[in-house]
Amino acid sequence: QVQLVESGGGLVQAGGSLRLSCAASVHIFSNNDMGWYRQAPGNQRELVASITTDGRINYSDSVKGRFTISRDNARKTVYLQMNSLKPEDTAVYSCMLYTGTFQYWGQGTQVTVSS
């Protein structure tokens, strides 16, 4: 059974930075695409960033140039470095693992950016 555990969320002032981590309990981590999603109250969940098994990266337009996704296959962990945070980045951030057939989700971590 795949489990994903996010950490690193919290309260930060606008302009600040946070680094989210998502640790996966999976037999072979490197075989799976990974993504970070977020959901703000009243909004639909949206893709923030994704990284494939061969390192191809995609960002939403709203975070390009501010957020960086990376993965460490040896540690079975995906990261999201978030810089220049804005109040509109406030949301629950969740990581997703995609096997090519199934999606698995973490519980999420709250990120709150104060103005």
Side-chain angles (χ1 to χ4, degrees):
Q1 183 176 356
V2 175
Q3 288 189 324
L4 303 172
V5 179
E6 301 98 336
S7 60
L11 174 64
V12 64
Q13 288 188 332
S17 298
L18 285 173
R19 188 194 194 203
L20 305 184
S21 300
C22 172
S25 63
V26 62
H27 181 54
I28 303 177
F29 178 76
S30 59
N31 286 355
N32 304 288
D33 295 342
M34 300 296 299
W36 283 100
Y37 289 74
R38 67 186 181 187
Q39 187 168 20
N43 290 357
Q44 289 188 334
R45 185 166 56 194
E46 62 172 348
L47 173 68
V48 176
S50 63
I51 183 166
T52 64
T53 56
D54 58 356
R56 284 174 290 135
I57 290 173
N58 181 52
Y59 295 103
S60 70
D61 288 343
S62 61
V63 307
K64 279 181 183 176
R66 300 188 298 123
F67 291 11
T68 302
I69 189 172
S70 61
R71 63 190 297 162
D72 184 334
N73 290 332
R75 288 183 167 82
K76 299 183 179 181
T77 300
V78 63
Y79 304 97
L80 186 68
Q81 177 67 43
M82 305 186 295
N83 299 328
S84 303
L85 282 161
K86 304 175 182 180
E88 52 263 43
D89 294 319
T90 295
V92 175
Y93 285 71
S94 302
C95 68
M96 185 276 293
L97 181 149
Y98 179 56
T99 68
T101 304
F102 300 107
Q103 288 183 339
Y104 296 91
W105 295 87
Q107 296 279 22
T109 184
Q110 176 70 46
V111 171
T112 302
V113 185
S114 63
S115 57

